[in-house]
Structures are given as structure tokens and as C-alpha cells.
Amino acid sequence: MSAPEDPALLRLADGVLQPGFDGLTAPDWIRRRLADGLGSVLLFGRNFGPPPGGRGQAAALVGQLRAEHPDVLVAVDEEGGDVTRLEWASGSSSPGNLALGTVDDEQLTRAVARSIGRDLAALGIDLDYAPDADVNSDPRNPVIGVRSFGADPALVARHTAAWVRGLQEGGTAACAKHFPGHGDTVVDSHLGLPTVTADLAELERVALPPFRAATAAGARAVMTAHLLLPALDPEHPATVSPRILTGLLRHRLGFDGLVVTDAVEMRAVADRYGHAGAAVRALTAGADLVCLGDRGSADAYDALRTAVARAVRTGDLPEERLAEAAARVAGFARWTRDLRAAARGGTAGGPEREGRPEPGLLAARRALAVARPTGVPPQGGGGPCVAEFRPTPTIAVGTVTAWGLAEPLAALLPGTEVRQVGQEEAEDDPAGTVARLCAAAEGRPLVLVVRNAHRHAWADAAVTALLVRRPDAVVVEFGLPQSPPRGGLHLAPHGAARVCAEAAAEAVAAHLGR
């Protein structure tokens, strides 16, 4: 039997690990660990109840955490747009980065982020893992896409800075991610290890400007990416690479703030090192806070804190590095309290103008791209038939986050009928799927809803076949618009947030003359 670890080292480990947990209230093991000094907790969608009582429940949950540890750093992954935890049940009231980049109004981006910052600060949440500062260089990217402001580094840098300023004016700390850039990949790091072939000069030209802009705008936290950059480190993914975290981020970019890992359960690092190995290597490389994701348990957490303490004893992790990381987390937590107090007491950014739509809906309306490729007027009358082609969502977005046109369109057009089509149905019986949808839409307008059709051949093929028979159909692309506009009306909201769907529904209703 191995000897118990040094209690002082275990307390330091508690200061650098950030677990998540299941449920709408804090489980006993989290409360015990907080009472013993756990420094940080990460909230996910499973910790927020649906409306109308969700926000009150969330505030009560944060209150539970603070009752055990008043200075605990509470974080959440609330990007707005496709990635929302607080509004998972309804869809986000903020349109997301691609919509904001499409509008290209920095003050609007700042206002949207300020609104998110105020919402989170009102719940007592300190740190938001946003904005996504990735330049989406490859449209095939399966995990970034509409989460990015766009493919132009200068535009992404400007809006990253505006988002940071707005969020922190609202009282919530920002965290730019995923360093040194996850945009030029075709592999989802939740599922495998992406490789980026860029050299340092290319990184400086494309991927790094948004991170420089974020820190210049006041961001004091950066999240790492689980990807391999052979030009900088051919062996270690960025999260566990001293050359990237210490050499590039700390020394070359001069960043002295908090470095947070992406979740170490992700297969890009977990398959190579295991959870504990990834955590220890990340801390050794220069990370300060290890994100453990949302599937936490007492046993899993205790195994990780023991592994961190043991790594000090065995010499794999210098004690001074661990102490430095724990001190940086605690100092960052203190700074977030000052940030929230300043937002409460100041007028930075000013209130949104009364009488105008909320900034999220305003942005979504401005981001909506409208085209009429065929000019064929809509056929039929009554409520439309809506066919939603639903791909499997990415882990980053979440499996239960609400999206789609059904609810907002039904509110405007009584009699709307919605049919959801999955990949299995469309691939197993493509002709039958098309025939059934055409029959359902006989004598009625037809609306086809897709999400990243350029990455899902089954959905693209179904839409193409349907448009041969119904060239008047409306096509709504909720993902990254890459295919040429098609149909009697083609709408690109540049994201799948609730407000994006509301803006698209307004345009569909107007097109159908209702």
C-alpha cells in the first residue's frame, strides 16, 4: 500500500483542478471538497434548469458553492450562439460569433457580449470560457465553424477584442480560446488529435493576432487547444507542450495571466496520456488550471488530485510550478470579484438604448443573408411543411441544445408542420424520404432546414433532390454557408441560436405573404 500523499500538496492540487458535476444542486462530494479548499468549479448545461425557473435555480446553485467556499472561482462555457449552457433549453438569445463577424459592427459585438456578461455576473459566475478566438481557416472544420467570427484574421482579432471588452464591462471575466488556434483543422479534438501544419510565421500571420488582441483588450485568461503543431513541437499537443505554453504563450507573446486547459477527458490528450497524465503534463508545461469537464465524480476527482500530488513527490512536477499555478488561480479569482464590483458600480459601456430590440436579436436580424436564386414564388397555401435535416451535434455544442425553425415559425404561421429527418433515414431510403416529404408538402409551402450541408452529404443530397421537384422551396442554412444559394428563397442566419431562428422565421413569413 502506498503512503498517503502530503496534505499540503493535496491542497495545492485542489487549487489547480476544476471539476464539473451532474445535477441542479451541488453534490455532497463537491461541497466537501469546496470546504477543504477546492478552488474552482465548472458548470455545464446539466447544471441549469429550463425556464421559467432556471435562472433562479442557477443563482441558488452558485450560492450553494459559495456557502462552502466564498472565494471559489465559478466558470461556464457560454459563447452564445450554438454553444450555450445557460439557455440550452430554449436556444441562445445571442447570435454567436459568425453572425457578429458577418455584421462586422464592433460596437454591436461589444453590446452582445456585455449582455452575456451581465447575465452571468447576476448569477455570481466569475469566468466565461469565451470568446472563441479561432480563425476558421478551413470550412470543413467540424468543431469550430460558426463559433468563429470568420476566416479573416484581422476581422477575428477586432471582434475578439470587442467581445472581451463587452463581456468584462458586464462583470464577467473573459477567456480567449483555443490557443494557439483551432481553426485550421478537420479533426474534432473531442474525438481525436488534430494536426496543424503551419509554421511559426504562418501562426503569427493567421492564428495568433486574435489572441494578441484579446490580451491587449484586457483578457487575463487563455484556454489551450488539444492539437499537434509539429513545427513547434512534433511530440506534444499544445496543452502539454512547454514549447507552446511557456515558450510561445508566456515568453513570445508575453502573457502572464491564467492558462486554462481544455477538458482533459477529450480524446486528443486522454487517449495518449490518460486523464491524470494529461493533467500533470499540462501543469508541468505551464498551465495553471486543469479543466476536468462535466462528468465528474468523487472517485475520479480524488484520483486526479492524488496523481498531481504524487507527481510532485516523484519529481515529475516541480512543487514550485504547482504552487505558482495555484497562486495564479487564487489571484485570478480575487480579480474577478473586483471586476464584478466595478461593473456594478460603474457605467462602462452604458445601458442599452431603451425602445430597441435586445442586442442579440438586433444582431441576428442584421446577420441574416437573403437570396432568391430561382425566383420561383411559393406554391400552395396554409401552414408550411418544414423538413429539418438534423445531423448529430458536436460535443462542444451539446446533444440537447435547442435549435431549429419549428417553434418561431409556428408562432408566426399557425398550421406549421415540422418533420425531422436524421442521417439514418435519409441514407437508408433516400428516394422514399424525398417522396414522403413531397407528399406531406402537397399543396403547401415547403421549407428545408439544414445545418452545415457542405459537411453532411446525406442532407445535401436530400435537399438537392427535393429542389428538383419543388424549386419554390425555402432553404434555411443554420450552419456555415458554403453551398451556393438554392431554392425560391435561401436564408443564411450564420448560426443556430434562437434569435437566428427568430430572424429567419420573420423572413420566411414575409416571403410567404403572411
Side-chain angles (χ1 to χ4, degrees):
M1 178 181 293
S2 60
E5 299 303 327
D6 183 342
L9 294 179
L10 291 172
R11 283 194 295 273
L12 286 176
D14 282 330
V16 300
L17 299 177
Q18 184 183 70
F21 56 88
D22 286 335
L24 305 182
T25 59
D28 288 343
W29 73 270
I30 283 284
R31 298 174 74 170
R32 288 195 304 271
R33 281 282 163 252
L34 286 169
D36 290 340
L38 175 63
S40 183
V41 170
L42 178 59
L43 302 180
F44 281 83
R46 66 186 67 251
N47 304 125
F48 296 104
R55 300 211 175 203
Q57 169 269 320
L61 171 58
V62 176
Q64 274 190 316
L65 301 174
R66 296 216 189 283
E68 302 295 341
H69 185 350
D71 295 326
V72 61
L73 180 70
V74 181
V76 73
D77 200 3
E78 184 66 37
E79 298 177 15
D82 286 26
V83 179
T84 177
R85 309 309 182 202
L86 184 59
E87 298 185 282
W88 64 267
S90 61
S92 180
S93 53
S94 301
N97 283 5
L98 183 61
L100 295 171
T102 298
V103 176
D104 196 13
D105 179 341
E106 292 168 48
Q107 291 308 310
L108 183 60
T109 295
R110 191 166 179 169
V112 168
R114 188 185 306 125
S115 178
I116 293 174
R118 287 172 174 165
D119 284 348
L120 297 180
L123 301 178
I125 293 171
D126 306 297
L127 172 62
D128 186 8
Y129 288 140
D132 189 308
D134 298 309
V135 178
N136 198 55
S137 307
D138 194 325
R140 299 171 298 166
N141 195 314
V143 70
I144 303 300
V146 298
R147 299 168 65 195
S148 167
F149 290 110
D152 174 30
L155 179 144
V156 175
R158 288 190 286 104
H159 286 275
T160 295
W163 218 98
V164 167
R165 292 189 177 100
L167 187 76
Q168 296 192 163
E169 286 168 355
T172 303
C175 178
K177 62 185 184 187
H178 306 82
F179 185 85
H182 208 311
D184 192 17
T185 65
V186 293
V187 174
D188 183 345
S189 52
H190 293 86
L191 306 175
L193 179 63
T195 296
V196 174
T197 58
D199 59 16
L200 181 57
E202 181 72 1
L203 286 176
E204 285 282 9
R205 188 181 70 82
V206 176
L208 296 183
F211 293 97
R212 292 185 183 276
T215 57
R220 298 195 186 185
V222 166
M223 176 177 277
T224 69
H226 299 328
L227 49 81
L228 197 66
L229 280 154
L232 274 65
D233 189 332
E235 182 179 357
H236 304 101
T239 294
V240 298
S241 170
R243 296 182 190 177
I244 293 173
L245 298 192
T246 299
L248 179 61
L249 180 57
R250 294 287 191 207
H251 295 163
R252 187 177 181 91
L253 271 65
F255 181 69
D256 62 358
L258 184 74
V259 177
V260 187
T261 74
D262 210 343
V264 292
E265 292 94 337
M266 293 166 62
R267 294 185 60 181
V269 292
D271 283 357
R272 280 193 165 204
Y273 308 112
H275 300 169
V280 169
R281 284 170 171 80
L283 291 165
T284 304
D288 304 304
L289 184 59
V290 177
C291 172
L292 305 180
D294 68 335
R295 298 286 182 177
S297 69
D299 289 345
Y301 179 79
D302 287 347
L304 277 168
R305 75 193 286 260
T306 298
V308 170
R310 182 174 298 133
V312 175
R313 180 165 54 82
T314 60
D316 294 317
L317 172 61
E319 184 173 355
E320 59 271 21
R321 170 78 271 275
L322 180 60
E324 175 191 48
R328 191 172 278 125
V329 174
F332 184 88
R334 290 192 295 271
W335 172 73
T336 65
R337 309 293 186 271
D338 295 339
L339 184 70
R340 187 154 61 245
R344 285 197 301 263
T347 58
E352 315 309 337
R353 284 181 281 172
E354 293 185 6
R356 297 187 68 184
E358 288 296 316
L361 181 57
L362 178 65
R365 286 171 174 165
R366 291 177 62 185
L368 182 67
V370 180
R372 291 175 172 80
T374 66
V376 177
Q379 299 176 17
C385 177
V386 180
E388 294 188 339
F389 297 87
R390 289 186 164 253
T392 302
T394 66
I395 295 172
V397 171
T399 57
V400 294
T401 302
W403 74 277
L405 200 60
E407 186 173 333
L409 192 58
L412 296 175
L413 301 178
T416 295
E417 178 189 355
V418 179
R419 298 193 171 215
Q420 295 185 357
V421 182
Q423 181 174 354
E424 183 176 353
E425 176 187 353
E427 288 186 333
D428 287 352
D429 185 15
T433 298
V434 170
R436 286 190 292 273
L437 290 173
C438 286
E442 182 72 28
R444 308 168 65 183
L446 177 61
V447 180
L448 307 176
V449 175
V450 292
R451 192 170 180 178
N452 295 310
H454 68 287
R455 292 199 298 104
H456 301 287
W458 61 272
D460 188 65
V463 169
T464 300
L466 283 162
L467 287 172
V468 170
R469 298 174 64 171
R470 289 291 301 268
D472 66 304
V474 175
V475 178
V476 183
E477 168 57 90
F478 275 113
L480 193 68
Q482 291 293 304
S483 302
R486 298 175 290 180
L489 179 73
H490 187 102
L491 302 175
H494 298 97
R498 171 172 52 82
V499 288
C500 295
E502 290 172 356
E506 292 169 353
V508 172
H511 176 69
L512 298 181
R514 313 296 167 82

